[in-house]
Amino acid sequence: MSALELYSLKTELLRAIAEAADLDTLEEVRVAALGKKGRISELMQALGSLPPDDRKAYGQVVNSLKTSVGEALEARRQELSKAATVEKLAQERADVTLPVREGSLQEGRIHPVSQVTDEITEIFADMGFSIAEGPDIETDFNNFTALNIPPEHPARQDHDTFYFPEAADGSRAVLRTHTSPVQIRAMLREKPPLRIIAPGRVYRCDSDQTHTPMFHQVEGLVIDETTHLGHLKWVLEAFCKAFFEVPQVRMRFRASHFPFTEPSMEVDIGYAKKGEEIRIGEGEWLEILGCGMVHPNVLKNVGLDPARYQGFAFGMGIDRIAMLKYGMPDLRAFFAGDLRWLKHYGFPPLAIPTLAAGLSS
């Protein structure tokens, strides 16, 4: 094909591209020019039949033609796409003055963990506790050493705890296994008297119907010069009555062992389930939390004199007591992201817990 014929072909194709009125017509032009049997494709196929000395010059000319046509096609495609979008928006304009169809708006739901955390916060705030927070990634000192947890304790093992890679100085950060490090940070930062609760996420290597690798916990701490076990018992009894919304609660304190408290106790409450109804204060015993007087070694580790200061601490799983109060059978569903579960167990967005109006909606 002569240079004049190639120029005429280029002019013809560019004119067809410019005159394409819509995307369908433009696609027909593209196929006719660059398709498998298109005119430019046929020119490229003829390259093999030329003498070797003529192939380079011929190939450059055809490739230049192919590039020019391809650029023109893309530019026209963008113009037509933009025009089609403008036309579609003009034709499909919504009438915002129309009334909302009944049932078309879906109301969001508050997750039970968020709701129960607010309930707990409301109760302890009424007792004079403030909220303390800390990072999810903690130091070994705050998570273990300051809490009087010895090096050989099972909680320090890799099969129980999520560790980060070892740092240059040999230390390893850890995903906190409880919110007790928040207590350590509070005691290092502030001087007694202290009265705090520390709600938040915690992490342990465990997963079954009642355990998940990540869960929620709330811990409480009171430090002053006169606090004793009687105060601890009253606080926990008052909390249980307010949280479960019962006039009386059946409780017992059992001797136990925690490295960070001495003496240490586990707390049980009376619990019975009859059908779908949960009754607090009757039936068999059910463990709900651990507690005790703060160990003197913990006070020493944060620079407090155990001869002068004393106090108590307690901790409970937020997810666990939510299951108990609202009859949820499987802890794993809390983190499955199933909107059907949330619609069933979730709370209305304006159901803000207050002691005056009632915690449960």
Side-chain angles (χ1 to χ4, degrees), residues 113 116-117 120-121 124 131-134 136 143 147 176-183 197-204 212 214-220 258 260 287-290 314-321 331 335:
V113 169
V116 170
T117 300
I120 295 169
T121 301
F124 283 111
I131 300 175
E133 296 181 327
D136 288 13
N143 197 81
L147 290 161
R176 65 184 184 187
T177 58
H178 41 194
T179 57
S180 299
V182 180
Q183 300 180 23
I197 59 168
R201 292 183 296 266
V202 296
Y203 309 85
R204 297 178 190 173
T212 53
M214 185 279 289
F215 57 100
H216 299 85
Q217 192 178 64
V218 60
E219 297 190 11
F258 304 113
F260 31 81
E287 177 193 337
I288 61 166
L289 60 89
F314 57 86
M316 69 188 86
I318 296 176
D319 318 284
R320 290 281 191 87
I321 62 171
L331 182 63
F335 313 105

Side-chain angles (χ1 to χ4, degrees), residues 114-334:
S114 299
Q115 184 74 12
V116 170
T117 300
D118 287 345
E119 294 179 13
I120 295 169
T121 301
E122 174 70 15
I123 294 170
F124 283 111
D126 189 64
M127 298 182 193
F129 285 75
S130 59
I131 300 175
E133 296 181 327
D136 288 13
I137 300 175
E138 265 295 358
T139 64
D140 181 89
F141 176 80
N142 287 342
N143 197 81
F144 295 122
T145 304
L147 290 161
N148 198 40
I149 299 177
E152 69 277 6
H153 195 279
R156 285 181 177 263
Q157 305 304 312
D158 287 3
H159 59 74
D160 268 9
T161 298
F162 295 105
Y163 282 98
F164 285 82
E166 189 172 299
D169 61 359
S171 64
R172 286 203 295 173
V174 60
L175 284 176
R176 65 184 184 187
T177 58
H178 41 194
T179 57
S180 299
V182 180
Q183 300 180 23
I184 298 299
R185 289 175 176 270
M187 287 188 284
L188 288 171
R189 184 178 60 248
E190 305 172 30
K191 294 299 181 183
L194 286 175
R195 191 181 299 180
I196 63 168
I197 59 168
R201 292 183 296 266
V202 296
Y203 309 85
R204 297 178 190 173
C205 298
D206 207 354
S207 182
D208 56 39
Q209 187 174 356
T210 56
H211 299 84
T212 53
M214 185 279 289
F215 57 100
H216 299 85
Q217 192 178 64
V218 60
E219 297 190 11
L221 173 71
V222 173
I223 299 290
D224 57 30
E225 298 181 13
T226 58
T227 291
H228 52 73
L229 275 176
H231 297 140
L232 170 61
K233 182 178 183 296
W234 179 89
V235 166
L236 294 180
E237 184 177 357
F239 165 76
C240 288
K241 288 193 288 188
F243 180 75
F244 293 109
E245 300 176 277
V246 292
Q248 296 295 328
V249 62
R250 194 162 144 256
M251 300 180 67
R252 72 176 181 184
F253 290 72
R254 289 182 291 107
S256 184
H257 169 73
F258 304 113
F260 31 81
T261 53
E262 180 60 37
S264 303
M265 295 161 289
E266 290 178 347
V267 178
D268 303 332
I269 62 171
Y271 160 82
K273 185 174 182 181
K274 297 185 178 180
E276 295 300 318
E277 183 182 0
I278 296 173
R279 297 181 181 179
I280 302 298
E282 57 183 81
E284 298 182 356
W285 293 110
L286 178 71
E287 177 193 337
I288 61 166
L289 60 89
C291 64
M293 300 301 291
V294 178
H295 199 290
N297 289 345
V298 175
L299 296 176
K300 292 177 183 177
N301 289 336
V302 294
L304 296 179
D305 181 3
R308 177 181 177 186
Y309 295 110
Q310 58 189 30
F312 62 76
F314 57 86
M316 69 188 86
I318 296 176
D319 318 284
R320 290 281 191 87
I321 62 171
M323 292 173 66
L324 175 60
K325 181 175 181 178
Y326 293 107
M328 303 170 188
D330 195 324
L331 182 63
R332 292 168 293 190
F334 278 67

Side-chain angles (χ1 to χ4, degrees), residues 17 25-36 38-39 69 73:
I17 292 170
T25 305
L26 185 65
E27 177 63 14
E28 293 175 2
V29 174
R30 186 196 69 78
V31 172
L34 302 174
K36 188 175 182 180
R39 300 174 70 179
V69 171
L73 282 167

